[in-house]
Amino acid sequence: MDAMGGDFGPSVIVPGALAASKACNVELILVGDEVKIQAELAKFNGELGAISVVHTTQVAEMGEKPSEILRRKKDSSIQVAFELVREGRAHGVVSAGHSGTTVACGMFILGRIAGVERPALASIIFTEKQPITLIDVGANVDCKPYHLFQFGLMADVLAKHVLGIPTPSVGLLSIGEEEGKGNLQVKEAFELFKMTNSLNFVGNIEGRDIFTGNVNVIVCDGFVGNIALKLSEGLAMSIARMIKAELKRDLISKIGGLLIKDAMRRLKRVVDYSEYGGAPLLGLKEIVVVCHGSSSAGAITSAIDMAATFIRKKANAHLIAELSANEELSRFGKAAMKL
Amino acid sequence: MDAMGGDFGPSVIVPGALAASKACNVELILVGDEVKIQAELAKFNGELGAISVVHTTQVAEMGEKPSEILRRKKDSSIQVAFELVREGRAHGVVSAGHSGTTVACGMFILGRIAGVERPALASIIFTEKQPITLIDVGANVDCKPYHLFQFGLMADVLAKHVLGIPTPSVGLLSIGEEEGKGNLQVKEAFELFKMTNSLNFVGNIEGRDIFTGNVNVIVCDGFVGNIALKLSEGLAMSIARMIKAELKRDLISKIGGLLIKDAMRRLKRVVDYSEYGGAPLLGLKEIVVVCHGSSSAGAITSAIDMAATFIRKKANAHLIAELSANEELSRFGKAAMKL
């Protein structure tokens, strides 16, 4: 665990990690400034669980380019955390640091699974019915059709083996349900999805179908996915603020507002992204889970839980099998498609 | 007005048109099956305002391809409505029919303004602060950087001259605020936006900034815009359903739910897309306003109002001027950019 990442560093990550070490039965290595980490640990009396600390002297700053950090900050907490995995001293990494740097460390320190063209970030989001997986949410902004195809295969494995959905439905995010609707990228990716036997492919789905929760895995490129994800967060917050403002406008509404507080709190718990605090970065040789920069301690705990489940279920072995079963199709997409 | 379009045809369009003819001081021509239209008109006693009917024998069906409709259904209500504009018998068209067919009729019957590469659909959406314009929301799924640039110019004219915002701020929808963030399309479009003197360009904006309402015009390609728009509609509806369900869960919440009914109704009015029922299709020689297929009569009225304002303010003349002032930049974008 990179203990220095995120907007709040050790003050949030340490308590989140402590909770995870107790709840999820994992051994945790906190990587970062030992003095700061120990100061946070000291706030918790009693048992610390299976937590150790690896001291580093550098921290990756938000403004720095990933390539600069990789080259110049060999002793940064994020880079050392990845090195621990490469050396076999840990099974995976959780990071709330800059996601570009996390992706770069994953690519260059851990390396891709053979045959994976682009690792992709999968976000597990709340919906009316059940949490669903949106992939990619920002690791790849310019994608080819066969990239989308591989994203679908990888998220299918996540949904099956980590989230426990026996036959996940997989849809392609587009602007109309019928085959043939969408941009060139989606139209060509549709062809590949149609040809595989590995997936329960349900065709195109529209923006309005995301939050109904009827489709388990939704595939798009990282540009579209990142906009969709941030738009959803922003809109949910805007609606919450607008409701609050309306409830203050007259006495009756104010009283009503007080009475519905419990109901709103229940709803907030469902919508809050901290419940699924981590976005797994799929396609690397080991598991990497990326957290929101503004993650709460609860979000950190659930991200660690996600990484632990991924490791225990040997999801990467399933991922390798599913990608390899579709190697021919991926190669066809790479060689024969226009885009 | 194509009286046969939309999910409900004359039963919704006729009352919507009647209300507009009184409220907006416009002369309306209802195009479609005269028997059906007159049957709806007969339901309203008293003065009909300045409404006339042009009879047609064909209707464009939802499943048909735009090219088929254009070639084979010369007497379809949508095609005849466009012909009336081309012949100078009307100043603009409002259609709740299939948007692909509407765009095709606009391109082939009315034609583009000289220099406009692609007409684009602008949607005026509610936000916390004020309605903003999102362009393109579905007319063009594969766009070049200079297309995005022209969309920005056209929506700026709409915001200025139809919505009455003196100096609209214009942002580019991307995945990070800093220059250089985004896919190739957005990065290159950024260069063009930076070079023009016509716009108050504020740089990239992220998905989470759309609904704060701080930026007046947001530019994206029609694939991204359509997904963003439908996702927003879907998420708002999902949240509304989830709130309703939570408020039914216990007695206190139920009572609270009754007390906040007025506040929720006020909010619904803000969020409801029928307030801005029409999406103007910009870049054609005459104004075309596209309505949601499921438009209510109120949405039809406001779409007609939008078209009338556009015509009265001579927005197309301003649009031609702004495009022509940026002709060199558009040409540079077309010739010199990679994408």
Side-chain angles (χ1 to χ4, degrees):
Chain A
M1 174 90 226
D2 171 10
M4 310 305 284
D7 302 348
F8 313 111
S11 69
V12 159
I13 292 174
V14 170
L18 265 172
S21 82
K22 287 171 194 162
C24 321
N25 190 27
V26 285
E27 269 180 61
L28 277 171
I29 308 173
L30 298 177
V31 184
D33 184 327
E34 187 158 21
V35 175
K36 286 185 184 160
I37 295 172
Q38 291 295 0
E40 293 298 330
L41 286 172
K43 291 180 189 166
F44 296 86
N45 303 325
E47 228 177 297
L48 288 188
I51 289 191
S52 57
V53 178
V54 166
H55 179 65
T56 57
T57 57
Q58 293 176 310
V59 172
E61 305 293 344
M62 278 308 280
E64 289 175 301
K65 280 193 181 165
S67 56
E68 297 283 299
I69 293 165
L70 270 169
R71 220 175 316 134
R72 297 201 189 147
K73 292 200 164 169
K74 297 280 179 203
D75 201 41
S76 59
S77 55
I78 188 161
Q79 196 161 169
V80 172
F82 275 89
E83 288 292 350
L84 291 175
V85 180
R86 198 181 55 83
E87 291 162 8
R89 291 170 61 194
H91 290 100
V93 192
V94 175
S95 163
H98 186 262
S99 61
T101 306
T102 308
V103 173
C105 287
M107 294 276 279
F108 296 108
I109 300 175
L110 300 180
R112 289 168 295 168
I113 289 170
V116 169
E117 293 284 337
R118 302 271 195 92
L121 209 49
S123 179
I124 293 144
I125 57 178
F126 85 93
T127 69
E128 272 184 82
K129 222 183 219 170
Q130 60 195 336
I132 62 146
T133 304
L134 184 68
I135 188 169
D136 174 39
V137 295
N140 310 281
V141 289
D142 289 289
C143 292
K144 303 283 181 189
Y146 65 93
H147 295 145
L148 298 193
F149 176 57
Q150 290 197 333
F151 299 167
L153 296 171
M154 297 195 291
D156 179 61
V157 170
L158 180 80
K160 241 182 234 159
H161 298 282
V162 181
L163 305 180
I165 302 159
T167 317
S169 50
V170 178
L172 198 48
L173 188 56
S174 189
I175 61 165
E177 286 184 1
E178 309 88 341
E179 183 175 351
K181 291 272 183 177
N183 57 13
L184 188 57
Q185 180 198 55
V186 162
K187 282 190 248 182
E188 294 198 322
F190 195 105
E191 295 302 314
L192 297 172
F193 278 108
K194 232 174 45 178
M195 284 191 271
T196 182
N197 295 320
S198 306
L199 300 175
N200 171 23
F201 178 56
V202 296
N204 287 340
I205 72 138
E206 295 191 75
R208 67 167 66 93
D209 305 321
I210 297 177
F211 286 96
T212 57
N214 291 326
V215 177
N216 301 118
V217 171
I218 298 174
V219 180
C220 58
D221 76 25
F223 185 79
V224 172
N226 188 276
I227 288 173
L229 193 67
K230 288 183 183 162
L231 189 163
S232 307
E233 282 176 27
L235 178 56
M237 284 194 285
S238 286
I239 291 177
R241 279 192 296 262
M242 288 163 85
I243 290 176
K244 264 188 199 158
E246 280 302 339
L247 292 182
K248 278 183 189 153
R249 213 162 271 189
D250 57 56
L251 187 64
I252 304 264
S253 303
K254 272 183 199 164
I255 298 168
L258 290 174
L259 296 179
I260 66 166
K261 267 208 164 142
D262 272 355
M264 288 300 109
R265 213 171 286 136
R266 285 195 299 267
L267 186 62
K268 196 166 175 285
R269 219 176 299 138
V270 180
V271 179
D272 198 348
Y273 60 82
S274 71
E275 201 193 344
Y276 290 90
L281 180 61
L282 303 174
L284 297 169
K285 283 185 181 150
E286 309 291 343
I287 183 63
V288 177
V289 176
V290 178
C291 302
H292 212 289
S294 63
S295 287
S296 62
I300 298 292
T301 304
S302 76
I304 295 171
D305 185 36
M306 158 84 67
T309 309
F310 196 96
I311 294 160
R312 283 198 188 102
K313 300 278 183 181
K314 302 194 192 329
N316 250 357
H318 295 287
L319 209 146
I320 290 166
E322 187 146 329
L323 284 164
S324 132
N326 289 277
E327 215 184 316
E328 283 297 329
L329 263 178
S330 292
R331 214 176 301 150
F332 165 74
K334 194 172 176 178
M337 291 195 157
K338 273 187 284 182
L339 191 75
Chain B
M1 175 90 225
D2 172 11
M4 310 306 284
D7 302 347
F8 314 111
S11 70
V12 158
I13 291 175
V14 170
L18 265 174
S21 81
K22 285 171 194 162
C24 322
N25 190 27
V26 286
E27 268 180 62
L28 277 171
I29 308 172
L30 298 177
V31 184
D33 185 327
E34 186 157 22
V35 175
K36 286 184 184 159
I37 295 172
Q38 291 294 1
E40 292 298 330
L41 286 172
K43 291 180 189 165
F44 297 86
N45 302 326
E47 226 178 298
L48 287 188
I51 290 191
S52 56
V53 178
V54 166
H55 178 65
T56 57
T57 56
Q58 294 176 308
V59 172
E61 305 293 343
M62 277 310 279
E64 289 175 299
K65 281 192 181 163
S67 56
E68 296 283 300
I69 293 166
L70 269 169
R71 219 175 317 135
R72 297 205 188 144
K73 291 200 164 169
K74 297 282 180 201
D75 201 41
S76 58
S77 55
I78 188 161
Q79 196 160 169
V80 171
F82 275 88
E83 289 291 351
L84 290 175
V85 179
R86 196 180 56 82
E87 292 162 9
R89 291 171 61 194
H91 290 100
V93 192
V94 175
S95 163
H98 186 262
S99 61
T101 306
T102 308
V103 173
C105 286
M107 294 276 279
F108 296 108
I109 300 176
L110 301 180
R112 289 168 294 166
I113 289 170
V116 169
E117 293 284 336
R118 303 271 195 90
L121 209 48
S123 179
I124 292 144
I125 57 177
F126 86 93
T127 69
E128 272 185 81
K129 221 183 220 170
Q130 60 195 336
I132 62 147
T133 304
L134 184 68
I135 187 168
D136 174 40
V137 296
N140 309 281
V141 290
D142 290 289
C143 292
K144 302 284 181 187
Y146 65 95
H147 295 146
L148 298 192
F149 175 57
Q150 290 197 334
F151 299 169
L153 295 171
M154 296 194 292
D156 178 61
V157 170
L158 180 80
K160 242 183 233 159
H161 298 282
V162 181
L163 305 180
I165 302 159
T167 317
S169 50
V170 178
L172 199 49
L173 189 57
S174 189
I175 62 165
E177 287 183 1
E178 309 88 340
E179 184 175 349
K181 291 271 184 178
N183 57 13
L184 187 57
Q185 180 198 55
V186 162
K187 281 189 248 181
E188 294 198 322
F190 195 105
E191 295 301 314
L192 297 172
F193 278 108
K194 232 174 44 179
M195 283 191 270
T196 182
N197 295 320
S198 305
L199 300 175
N200 171 22
F201 178 56
V202 295
N204 287 339
I205 73 139
E206 294 192 75
R208 69 167 65 92
D209 306 321
I210 297 178
F211 286 96
T212 57
N214 291 326
V215 177
N216 301 118
V217 170
I218 298 174
V219 179
C220 57
D221 76 25
F223 185 80
V224 172
N226 189 276
I227 288 172
L229 193 67
K230 288 182 182 161
L231 188 162
S232 307
E233 280 176 27
L235 178 56
M237 283 194 286
S238 286
I239 291 176
R241 278 191 297 261
M242 288 164 84
I243 290 175
K244 264 189 199 159
E246 281 301 339
L247 291 182
K248 279 184 188 154
R249 212 163 272 189
D250 57 55
L251 187 64
I252 303 264
S253 303
K254 271 183 200 164
I255 297 168
L258 288 175
L259 296 178
I260 65 164
K261 267 211 164 140
D262 272 354
M264 289 300 108
R265 212 171 288 134
R266 284 196 298 267
L267 186 63
K268 195 167 176 284
R269 218 175 300 139
V270 181
V271 179
D272 197 347
Y273 61 82
S274 70
E275 201 194 343
Y276 290 89
L281 181 61
L282 302 174
L284 297 170
K285 283 186 181 149
E286 308 291 343
I287 182 64
V288 177
V289 176
V290 179
C291 302
H292 213 287
S294 62
S295 286
S296 63
I300 298 292
T301 305
S302 75
I304 295 171
D305 185 36
M306 157 85 68
T309 309
F310 197 96
I311 295 161
R312 281 196 189 103
K313 300 277 184 181
K314 302 194 192 329
N316 250 358
H318 294 287
L319 209 146
I320 291 167
E322 187 147 327
L323 284 163
S324 135
N326 288 279
E327 215 185 316
E328 284 296 329
L329 263 176
S330 293
R331 215 176 300 150
F332 165 75
K334 193 171 178 179
M337 292 195 155
K338 273 187 283 182
L339 191 76

